[in-house]
Amino acid sequence: MRRLNRIAAAVPMMLISTVALAQPGTLPRWSAEVSGDAAFPTRTLAGADLQTGGGFGANVRVRLQPHLAAYAGWEWHMQQTKQLLPGETLDLNDNGYTFGLRFEHPIVGTTKGWLRAGGLYDHIEVENADGKTIHDSGHGLGWEGGAGFTLPLGTRFALTPGVRYRELSRDITVGGRTRSSTLSYVTTGVGVAFSF
């Protein structure tokens, strides 16, 4: 009987808590974001210069504390080089998963600043001009860090411009030669986030 009384007392408390979380003015627990960006290489890849590229991605965030959230998502970026294989322009596609923590704090009015740090679980695909994959590095761990702003567009939507640094080290095999390489670049872009 005591257990039944405890359950009977707990149910209304849970309902009150659920209603309170749904009230206007409380911070949404979840958000989703889609983004696009330009990618500027910061070093050569296996001795080859890379051209400026770009990419896109999506992530989901869950708020752990008022200013701290965990994120996880997927991203794709592409850059080109004419120096890995003489006479050929090759596309370097790195894609895979991102995960980490994001700190966000009000700066001025409704504008917030954010910092992000986390890991990558990506692979690099090398494609020829016909779009055929001539090498896949296999997935491996890398890291990223970034900063930017959250500019609200109403109560649920926001623009999230920002800058990030991303780095991934993998072996690349092109033309029968395997070389250890590090793909590193800075992205500048903007996302659209939706809170729920």
Side-chain angles (χ1 to χ4, degrees), residues 165-176:
Y165 175 81
R166 295 168 53 91
E167 185 172 299
L168 175 68
S169 295
R170 307 300 296 147
D171 288 344
I172 301 289
T173 302
V174 175

Side-chain angles (χ1 to χ4, degrees), residues 33 35-43 51-57 59 71 74-79 92 94-95 98 102 114 116 120 122 143-149 160-168 183-191:
E33 178 184 34
S35 62
D37 53 43
F40 303 93
T42 59
R43 64 194 299 178
Q51 299 173 2
T52 298
F56 60 88
N59 69 73
Y71 70 87
W74 179 89
E75 292 193 34
W76 172 88
H77 288 90
M78 191 271 287
Q79 297 171 66
L92 298 168
D94 77 284
N95 62 79
T98 62
R102 175 182 167 122
W114 56 262
R116 166 174 161 160
L120 314 173
D122 283 8
W143 66 277
E144 69 168 10
F149 301 97
T160 57
V163 176
R164 289 181 297 151
Y165 175 81
R166 295 168 53 91
E167 185 172 299
L168 175 68
L183 179 64
S184 64
Y185 53 92
V186 172
T187 69
T188 59
V190 65

Side-chain angles (χ1 to χ4, degrees), residues 38-177:
F40 303 93
T42 59
R43 64 194 299 178
T44 61
L45 178 82
D49 290 328
L50 302 178
Q51 299 173 2
T52 298
F56 60 88
N59 69 73
V60 175
R61 297 190 292 268
V62 58
R63 184 171 49 82
L64 305 174
Q65 296 178 350
H67 302 294
L68 184 67
Y71 70 87
W74 179 89
E75 292 193 34
W76 172 88
H77 288 90
M78 191 271 287
Q79 297 171 66
Q80 289 185 329
T81 183
K82 297 181 179 180
Q83 298 178 352
L84 270 180
L85 203 57
E88 285 203 47
T89 299
L90 300 177
D91 293 343
L92 298 168
N93 301 300
D94 77 284
N95 62 79
Y97 306 99
T98 62
F99 54 91
L101 295 173
R102 175 182 167 122
F103 176 80
E104 188 172 59
H105 197 276
I107 301 177
V108 177
T110 58
T111 300
K112 298 177 182 176
W114 56 262
L115 299 172
R116 166 174 161 160
L120 314 173
Y121 187 63
D122 283 8
H123 67 131
I124 301 170
E125 294 177 329
V126 182
E127 296 180 356
N128 63 17
D130 297 326
K132 180 182 176 184
T133 301
I134 59 175
H135 175 73
D136 186 333
S137 70
H139 282 79
L141 290 173
W143 66 277
E144 69 168 10
F149 301 97
T150 299
L151 310 170
L153 300 172
T155 58
R156 296 290 182 187
F157 288 93
L159 291 178
T160 57
V163 176
R164 289 181 297 151
Y165 175 81
R166 295 168 53 91
E167 185 172 299
L168 175 68
S169 295
R170 307 300 296 147
D171 288 344
I172 301 289
T173 302
V174 175
R177 183 176 167 203

